[in-house]
């Protein structure tokens, strides 16, 4: 039997065969791998670059959010990138200032707001520039140059997508700012914004119209030098406040859009009622200025209602302790009267005339007659417990020595019927001949011994049915449309009180008493067309509020 030998797996030929197969397979595999590598390598690089870019964008976004957080907490811009870490951005300082490739990152605030100081605030025109830029390039140092607004805008509008390794993060922080508008009606007041005070020093505060960061501490003080604010608050929205000297202490800083301060009348009476049936006061003096206002304020038509209180007892300043008041006017606008010899009047000044000659003393001493007009200027705005007396109008030569009964300063140019009364002039009512009439006085000069000007008959009251035997007492010109407790007083109308009952006042013949206030609305005047025409309307019915005796006859308003 012939045997066929089995192959030896470890023979040379067998090894060659096995080794040959393995080498060929390996070479084939290496070929495939090299082909795949050539195909996949660019995609892998792109993927890695994309991950790096995405990571860089996330870092820039975190830094921008850190900038906003810094701004909220410190009310100031971060000074540089290093200031962001680690409290405001979850990155180490080196990670904040450089990107993952080791290139510098750049941080820019719009140049127009880079010097922003929160106590000063931003103007409305600068508010759109409350922006910052973060610039980073993953392939080189971006080295941007931004020194002015134009260069900032160039980078802000740059399309970073055209340069794959360039990253530009644009961050707008306009929403972090709120507007603060502070204005003043009359002298006085002060305020503080972010720890920096602004004092009036007794003058009129300049308007503040700026934008400050949310969370800013603001304080509004009624004192002339900032100390303890009546109205402290933290800024959370746009606000507008006005300092209004006409308001009562404690409420002079008010929201600008709110209704005017509590409306009221200032009045005087011819006598010293005690007791009186008027709500709020059981008695008063004829030298006392009364306020008639809230609560329960209401006027005609309908039923008059309200509450009386005392403003100041001017006769307490009289040397003899007894001084009745006739004419009365409260100044609501800073204004200069006269020309060569002039006097500056300020909001809150009280103009008055007395029933007889007096000498009054407070911070100074002054003597005058019953035809003269004085100014009482409170030492502190709104506080009439002390002040200075100023001689305003020496009316003896103007009205021939008659007692002055009513006075109203024209504080703004006002159309009355067919004439324009100019700011700085006066309307008044005298006693004596023509005592029912209302006159106009254009003052060329003012002051004791120097008062001069032109007198004109404005309202010939006999032509609108005033009883010529009854004196016109108080007069007050309405210079703007005023709504008091829902009753509108027309522009150019004149509030009037008279010394006795008259049953046919005005062309429409209404009946009024000496405890009432009514107003006339002239369509023509004697000063204009040569004849007076006007209707009359009852405004305050004194009997409704307990005014029903001769001591309670109304005089000054």
């Amino acid at each position: 039997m012939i045997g066929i030998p089995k192959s030896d797996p470890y023979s040379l030929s067998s090894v060659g065969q096995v080794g040959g197969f393995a080498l060929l397979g390996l070479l084939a595999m290496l070929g495939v791998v090299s082909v795949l590598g050539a195909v996949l390598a660019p995609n892998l690089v792109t993927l890695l670059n994309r991950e790096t870019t995405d990571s860089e964008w996330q870092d820039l976004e975190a830094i921008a959010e850190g900038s906003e957080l810094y701004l909220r907490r410190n009310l100031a811009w971060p000074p540089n990138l290093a200031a962001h870490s680690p409290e405001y951005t979850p990155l180490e300082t080196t990670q904040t200032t450089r990107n993952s490739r080791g290139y510098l990152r750049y941080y820019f605030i719009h140049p127009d707001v880079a010097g922003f100081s929160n106590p000063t605030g931003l103007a409305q025109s600068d508010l759109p520039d409350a922006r910052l830029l973060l610039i980073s390039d993953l392939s080189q140092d971006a080295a941007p140059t931004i020194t002015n607004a134009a260069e900032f805008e160039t980078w802000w509008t740059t399309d970073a997508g055209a340069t794959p390794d360039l990253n530009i993060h644009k961050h707008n922080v306009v929403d972090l700012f709120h507007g603060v508008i502070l204005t003043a009606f009359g002298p006085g007041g002060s305020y503080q914004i972010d720890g920096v005070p602004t004092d009036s020093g007794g003058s009129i505060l300049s308007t503040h119209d700026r934008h400050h960061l949310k969370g800013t501490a603001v304080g509004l003080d009624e004192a002339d030098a900032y100390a303890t604010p009546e109205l402290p608050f933290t800024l959370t929205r746009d606000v507008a406040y006005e300092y209004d000297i006409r308001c009562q202490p404690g409420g002079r800083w008010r929201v600008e859009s709110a209704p005017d301060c509590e409306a009221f009348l200032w009045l005087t009476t011819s006598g010293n009622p005690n007791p009186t049936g008027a709500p709020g006061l059981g008695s008063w003096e004829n030298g006392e200025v009364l306020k008639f206002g809230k609560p329960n304020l209401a006027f005609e038509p309908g039923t008059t209602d309200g509450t009386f209180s005392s403003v100041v007892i001017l006769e307490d300043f009289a040397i003899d302790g007894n001084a009745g008041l006739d004419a009365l006017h409260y100044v609501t606008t800073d204004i200069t009267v006269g020309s060569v010899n002039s006097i500056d009047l300020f909001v809150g000044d009280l103009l008055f005339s007395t029933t007889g000659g007096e000498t009054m003393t407070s911070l100074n001493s002054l003597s005058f007659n019953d035809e003269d007009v004085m100014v009482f200027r409170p030492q502190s705005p709104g506080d009439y417990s002390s002040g200075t007396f100023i001689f305003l109008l020496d009316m003896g030569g103007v009205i021939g020595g008659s007692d002055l009964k009513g006075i109203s300063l024209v504080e703004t140019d006002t159309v009355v019927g067919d004439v324009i009364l100019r700011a700085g002039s006066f309307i008044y009512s005298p006693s004596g001949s023509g005592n029912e009439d209302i006159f106009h006085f254009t003052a060329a000069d003012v002051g004791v011994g120097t008062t001069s000007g032109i007198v004109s008959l404005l309202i010939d009251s006999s032509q609108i049915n005033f009883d010529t035997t009854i004196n016109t007492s108080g007069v007050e010109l309405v210079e703007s449309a005023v709504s008091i407790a829902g009753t509108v007083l027309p522009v150019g109308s004149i509030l009037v009180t008279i010394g006795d009952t008259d049953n046919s006042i005005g062309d429409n013949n209404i009946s009024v008493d000496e405890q009432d206030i009514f107003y006339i609305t002239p369509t023509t005047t004697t000063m204009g067309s040569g004849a007076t025409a006007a209707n009359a309307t009852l405004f305050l019915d004194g009997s409704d509020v307990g005014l029903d005796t001769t001591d309670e006859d109304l005089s000054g308003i």
Side-chain angles (χ1 to χ4, degrees):
M1 179 177 182
I2 299 173
I4 300 175
K6 296 181 179 179
S7 298
D8 184 351
Y10 298 105
S11 66
L12 179 60
S13 61
S14 296
V15 171
Q17 290 174 355
V18 173
F21 175 79
L23 286 173
L24 289 173
L26 180 59
L27 290 173
M29 290 177 63
L30 287 174
V32 171
V33 169
S34 64
V35 171
L36 288 173
V39 173
L40 294 176
N43 293 331
L44 181 60
V45 170
T46 300
L47 179 62
L48 292 174
N49 284 340
R50 183 177 299 163
E51 289 179 352
T52 302
T53 300
D54 290 346
S55 177
E56 180 62 12
W57 182 257
Q58 292 171 4
D59 285 350
L60 294 181
E61 189 169 24
I63 295 169
E65 290 174 355
S67 294
E68 185 169 319
L69 180 59
Y70 187 105
L71 197 56
R72 288 175 181 271
R73 288 187 183 176
N74 299 285
L75 304 181
W77 296 111
N80 48 51
L81 279 173
H84 291 69
S85 300
E87 185 175 358
Y88 304 99
T89 299
L91 298 171
E92 295 297 329
T93 301
T94 55
Q95 294 176 309
T96 300
T97 57
R98 292 182 179 271
N99 61 37
S100 61
R101 300 280 177 82
Y103 296 111
L104 287 172
R105 293 185 176 122
Y106 293 88
Y107 160 73
F108 294 99
I109 302 162
H110 193 291
D112 287 351
V113 299
F116 163 75
S117 169
N118 192 49
T120 303
L122 289 180
Q124 177 69 38
S125 58
D126 290 332
L127 192 61
D129 296 331
R131 294 173 284 160
L132 61 91
L133 279 170
L134 293 167
I135 301 172
S136 173
D137 197 310
L138 293 169
S139 63
Q140 60 182 344
D141 187 341
T145 298
I146 298 179
T147 60
N148 55 54
E151 291 171 346
F152 185 95
E153 292 298 337
T154 297
W155 279 93
W156 185 269
T157 56
T158 295
D159 180 10
T163 308
D165 290 323
L166 180 62
N167 292 271
I168 303 175
H169 191 94
K170 307 165 187 178
H171 201 70
N172 194 317
V173 293
V174 171
D175 291 344
L176 294 187
F177 291 82
H178 290 303
V180 177
I181 300 176
L182 303 176
T183 56
F185 186 95
S190 56
Y191 60 87
Q192 186 180 87
I193 298 177
D194 197 8
V196 176
T198 297
D199 299 331
S200 69
S203 299
I204 297 178
L205 288 165
S206 297
T207 297
H208 178 93
D209 186 356
R210 309 286 285 184
H211 288 75
H212 303 268
L213 286 164
K214 184 183 299 183
T216 297
V218 180
L220 307 179
D221 193 349
E222 293 183 4
D224 293 344
Y226 188 84
T228 304
E230 279 77 15
L231 187 59
F233 61 92
T234 299
L235 192 61
T236 58
R237 57 186 175 83
D238 291 349
V239 296
Y241 285 91
E242 180 182 52
Y243 177 80
D244 193 340
I245 191 65
R246 298 168 299 181
C247 301
Q248 295 300 299
R252 289 182 175 152
W253 278 109
R254 65 184 187 87
V255 176
E256 193 174 51
S257 60
D260 286 343
C261 293
E262 176 187 341
F264 53 83
L265 293 175
W266 284 16
L267 312 166
T268 61
T269 63
S270 60
N272 308 316
N274 185 12
T276 174
L281 279 180
S283 65
W284 59 74
E285 306 295 326
N286 63 352
E288 186 170 359
V289 179
L290 308 176
K291 184 183 83 170
F292 181 67
K294 294 180 179 180
N296 307 318
L297 189 62
F299 294 99
E300 305 303 313
T303 300
T304 300
D305 200 358
T307 305
F308 289 88
S309 59
S310 178
V311 177
V312 58
I313 304 176
L314 278 176
E315 72 177 12
D316 284 351
F317 300 117
I319 294 296
D320 61 5
N322 183 22
L325 295 176
D326 279 336
L328 186 69
H329 179 84
Y330 178 90
V331 179
T332 61
T333 304
D334 289 354
I335 188 171
T336 299
V337 294
S339 54
V340 176
N341 296 302
S342 63
I343 292 177
D344 294 328
L345 298 176
F346 303 124
V347 174
D349 283 352
L350 186 61
L351 311 187
F352 71 95
S353 183
T354 54
T355 57
E358 299 289 348
T359 297
M360 289 191 173
T361 300
S362 181
L363 298 179
N364 68 327
S365 184
L366 195 63
S367 298
F368 47 88
N369 296 317
D370 59 0
E371 68 268 22
D372 300 324
V373 178
M374 299 296 106
V375 179
F376 182 63
R377 179 168 297 160
Q379 181 179 18
S380 300
D383 180 0
Y384 294 87
S385 60
S386 64
T388 302
F389 293 98
I390 303 169
F391 206 116
L392 180 62
L393 297 177
D394 186 352
M395 295 290 282
V398 175
I399 60 178
S402 299
D403 184 11
L404 186 68
K405 289 297 185 181
I407 190 77
S408 182
L409 169 65
V410 181
E411 300 183 24
T412 185
D413 291 355
T414 304
V415 175
V416 177
D418 52 2
V419 295
I420 298 176
L421 305 186
R422 299 298 181 183
S425 62
F426 299 85
I427 64 170
Y428 69 91
S429 58
S431 64
S433 178
N435 60 5
E436 79 282 3
D437 295 330
I438 300 173
F439 293 84
H440 178 256
F441 177 56
T442 301
D445 288 303
V446 298
V448 60
T450 55
T451 298
S452 63
I454 299 173
V455 172
S456 303
L457 177 58
L458 177 66
I459 302 295
D460 184 343
S461 298
S462 65
Q463 294 182 352
I464 51 174
N465 302 319
F466 280 49
D467 188 330
T468 58
T469 66
I470 299 175
N471 201 98
T472 294
S473 299
V475 292
E476 181 67 25
L477 177 64
V478 179
E479 300 171 49
S480 60
V482 178
S483 177
I484 305 180
T487 297
V488 177
L489 296 175
V491 178
S493 60
I494 302 173
L495 292 170
V496 181
T497 63
I498 57 176
D500 207 341
T501 299
D502 192 330
N503 293 317
S504 60
I505 291 284
D507 291 334
N508 53 332
N509 299 305
I510 70 168
S511 178
V512 296
D513 295 326
E514 58 269 43
Q515 294 93 17
D516 299 334
I517 299 175
F518 62 96
Y519 60 88
I520 58 172
T521 50
T523 52
T524 62
T525 66
T526 303
M527 181 176 162
S529 64
T532 297
N535 282 338
T537 305
L538 183 63
F539 177 59
L540 182 151
D541 186 339
S543 63
D544 286 348
V545 286
L547 304 181
D548 51 16
T549 68
T550 56
D551 280 342
E552 295 165 332
D553 292 355
L554 296 178
S555 51
I557 55 175

